[in-house]
């Protein structure tokens, strides 16, 4: 049986002097170093001054992966959020590690006058196929993907149509 390949999407250091803890190491340890093949945007890094190559590198790595794992316990950057949409473009499964009470997931908040018990940022919620809160749940989620319909880029059209039917009654 071929091992699944997981692309590890999330924070990358923005300078050589940034204090950066590579969460990818902990993730691989928890999922099993030898259980999956891992792809990281930190590997085989394109020259940072060649922005088109950096963009192409991430697109290539996402295209080659079976699963995109988004590490979202900290505030996500523009690159990670775009990687989620690129994953949907390629029809790839997206599992998002998003514990409660982190920047993109809040408990018992009031928005537009309504209490929301477990608010998840809408873009993360809708571009994710599964959202987990722990590494234990993450391991189980990878196994459950075979029984789950994976969203693709059509999620954009579906959301647009849903919104227009509900809110733009012309």
């Amino acid at each position: 049986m071929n091992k699944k390949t997981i692309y590890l999407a999330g924070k990358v250091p923005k300078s050589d002097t940034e204090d950066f803890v590579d969460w990818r190491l902990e993730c691989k340890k928890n999922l099993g170093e030898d259980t999956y093949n891992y792809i990281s945007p930190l590997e085989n890094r394109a020259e940072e001054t060649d922005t088109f190559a950096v963009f192409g590198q991430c697109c290539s790595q996402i295209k080659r992966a079976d699963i995109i794992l988004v590490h979202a316990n900290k505030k996500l950057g523009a690159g990670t959020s775009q990687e989620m949409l690129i994953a949907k473009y390629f029809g790839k499964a997206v599992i998002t590690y998003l514990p409660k009470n982190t920047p993109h997931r809040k408990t018992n908040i009031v928005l537009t006058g309504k209490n929301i018990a477990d608010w998840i940022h809408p873009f993360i919620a809708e571009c994710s196929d599964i959202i987990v809160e722990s590494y234990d749940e993450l391991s189980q989620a990878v196994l459950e993907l075979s029984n789950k319909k994976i969203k693709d880029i059509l999620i954009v059209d579906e959301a647009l149509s849903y919104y227009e039917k509900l809110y733009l009654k012309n």
Side-chain angles (χ1 to χ4, degrees):
M1 185 170 146
N2 289 342
K3 289 197 283 189
K4 296 231 181 253
T5 299
I6 299 177
Y7 177 81
L8 301 169
K11 180 155 178 60
V12 297
K14 302 300 184 278
S15 74
D16 292 340
T17 59
E18 181 179 336
D19 186 22
F20 176 72
V21 176
D22 192 357
W23 59 268
R24 290 167 179 85
L25 301 174
E26 180 184 0
C27 184
K28 289 178 189 179
K29 183 178 138 199
N30 281 283
L31 284 175
E33 297 271 352
D34 299 322
T35 307
Y36 303 100
N37 295 316
Y38 296 96
I39 300 175
S40 166
L42 300 175
E43 299 165 358
N44 303 315
R45 191 89 174 132
E47 178 61 44
E48 200 63 37
T49 57
D50 187 350
T51 57
F52 200 56
V54 172
F55 177 68
Q57 171 198 340
C58 292
C59 291
S60 173
Q61 290 175 323
I62 292 166
K63 183 178 181 181
R64 289 180 294 154
D66 299 301
I67 301 165
I68 311 310
L69 171 58
V70 179
H71 197 266
N73 68 330
K74 306 267 189 232
K75 192 164 179 59
L76 294 181
T80 305
S81 60
Q82 293 301 307
E83 287 170 328
M84 293 178 79
L85 275 176
I86 293 166
K88 296 297 99 187
Y89 174 81
F90 288 120
K92 302 296 180 166
V94 174
I95 300 174
T96 303
Y97 170 69
L98 183 63
K100 289 181 180 164
N101 296 313
T102 55
H104 304 294
R105 185 174 189 176
K106 302 291 182 188
T107 301
N108 294 317
I109 65 167
V110 177
L111 287 174
T112 61
K114 294 181 183 165
N115 184 60
I116 303 171
D118 186 16
W119 177 85
I120 297 174
H121 190 288
F123 282 67
I124 294 171
E126 297 310 323
C127 289
S128 298
D129 294 293
I130 299 175
I131 295 175
V132 300
E133 294 183 60
S134 69
Y135 283 117
D136 289 339
E137 288 180 29
L138 180 58
S139 297
Q140 187 60 38
V142 172
L143 299 174
E144 291 173 5
L145 280 174
S146 60
N147 300 324
K148 184 144 183 69
K149 183 181 181 303
I150 303 304
K151 300 172 191 173
D152 60 21
I153 197 65
L154 292 178
I155 192 69
V156 174
D157 293 326
E158 292 166 8
L160 176 67
S161 177
Y162 175 82
Y163 167 78
E164 288 177 346
K165 284 179 186 169
L166 221 63
Y167 292 94
L168 298 183
K169 299 173 185 173
N170 293 342

